[in-house]
Amino acid sequence: MSAVPAAGPHPAHPPHPAHPAMRAGSATDAVDRTRRTVADLHAELVRNGLVAWTSGNVSARVPGTDLLVIKPSGVAYADLTAETMVVCDLTGARVSGELSPSSDTASHAYIYRHMPQVGGVVHTHSRYATAWAARGEPIPCVLTAMADEFGGEIPVGPFAPIGGEEIGHAVVATLSGHRSPAVLLRSHGVFTVGATARDAVKAAVMCEDAACTVHLASIGGQVTPLPPDQIDALYRRYQNEYGQR
Ligand SMILES: [Zn+2]
């Protein structure tokens, strides 16, 4: 495996030898299932063209515990397995796993601590969405698919330094007051949240799709936001009636 040795702003914490949440058998099963889910979802980032080299990460809250599972730092996507995933507590400290966690772990942990409804977090530098972030411009809600998924524009949060929990603070602060599960971080990229990690991955895919289409439309002329009442009706229908019930 081509794991890069622990380096950068998030030095390895020695694994906690006996975190209370790791002792119970059912919690161990939940951790194992979450490791598998998070490893598999990283392949979706590659499949959907959302990441370059080792950038980007997925995490999930371990159901029924105060733990999260996240990608190791600087490991190639092709080398990610359930075993290489890192288990951390909700302060971002590693409790299980051989490798150092993603340098964004403290921010993922901040989001889980402050958004109890969130079960999954995704971060990418996906191309079109990050182009909007580079301009510091929210993506206006000009398409039915955006109203369905985001319930309005995709907002932009402030620039925040990498390595601590400042990015998490910016994500939580920007998403409060928006229905959007996606936020652009100025001069950086995209964070998405969901009830599950799969929902957060879907939001990352849909965010990039919307960013691309609205960009292409903007080349040909002005785009017009949908009226708020239409956005509300579309969002309500999609969130409550669409799909198999
Ligand atoms: Zn990043």
Side-chain angles (χ1 to χ4, degrees):
M1 196 176 65
S2 65
V4 172
H10 207 87
H13 300 283
H16 196 298
H19 189 279
M22 296 293 289
R23 286 192 212 121
S26 62
T28 307
D29 291 346
V31 167
D32 288 346
R33 277 196 300 276
T34 308
R35 279 175 176 273
R36 166 56 53 201
T37 300
V38 173
D40 290 348
L41 285 171
H42 279 95
E44 291 292 338
L45 301 187
V46 177
R47 197 171 295 135
N48 287 280
L50 301 185
V51 290
W53 204 240
T54 62
S55 72
N57 42 66
V58 179
S59 73
R61 193 194 295 269
V62 180
T65 72
D66 58 353
L67 299 172
L68 65 89
V69 171
I70 193 165
K71 175 174 169 275
S73 181
V75 177
Y77 277 89
D79 293 332
L80 296 180
T81 61
E83 293 70 33
T84 56
M85 295 299 118
V86 187
V87 185
C88 296
D89 65 20
L90 294 189
T91 71
R94 181 174 58 158
V95 299
S96 173
E98 298 291 312
L99 301 169
S100 297
S102 161
S103 56
D104 294 313
T105 300
S107 284
H108 285 244
Y110 182 95
I111 294 167
Y112 290 118
R113 288 204 310 279
H114 291 85
M115 300 181 86
Q117 74 279 23
V118 167
V121 177
V122 171
H123 171 50
T124 79
H125 304 156
S126 67
R127 204 163 283 139
Y128 283 91
T130 301
W132 289 84
R135 288 199 303 274
E137 194 178 338
I139 307 174
C141 186
V142 300
L143 299 166
T144 59
M146 287 190 69
D148 288 349
E149 182 71 26
F150 304 102
E153 69 173 19
I154 298 174
V156 183
F159 175 80
I162 295 170
E165 60 182 33
E166 291 91 341
I167 286 174
H169 186 272
V171 168
V172 172
T174 307
L175 287 183
S176 63
H178 285 271
R179 289 186 290 209
S180 173
V183 55
L184 310 178
L185 285 187
R186 185 179 280 269
S187 305
H188 185 166
V190 184
F191 269 79
T192 61
V193 298
T196 66
R198 184 172 184 80
D199 291 340
V201 170
K202 180 195 174 196
V205 172
M206 301 307 268
C207 176
E208 179 62 5
D209 191 49
C212 178
T213 307
V214 179
H215 168 75
L216 293 174
S218 303
I219 294 171
Q222 259 204 324
V223 293
T224 309
L226 287 164
D229 61 326
Q230 287 294 339
I231 293 174
D232 287 347
L234 287 160
Y235 183 75
R236 219 169 19 244
R237 180 200 68 87
Y238 186 75
Q239 300 293 328
N240 298 314
E241 296 166 26
Y242 175 82
Q244 306 299 318
R245 299 280 149 189

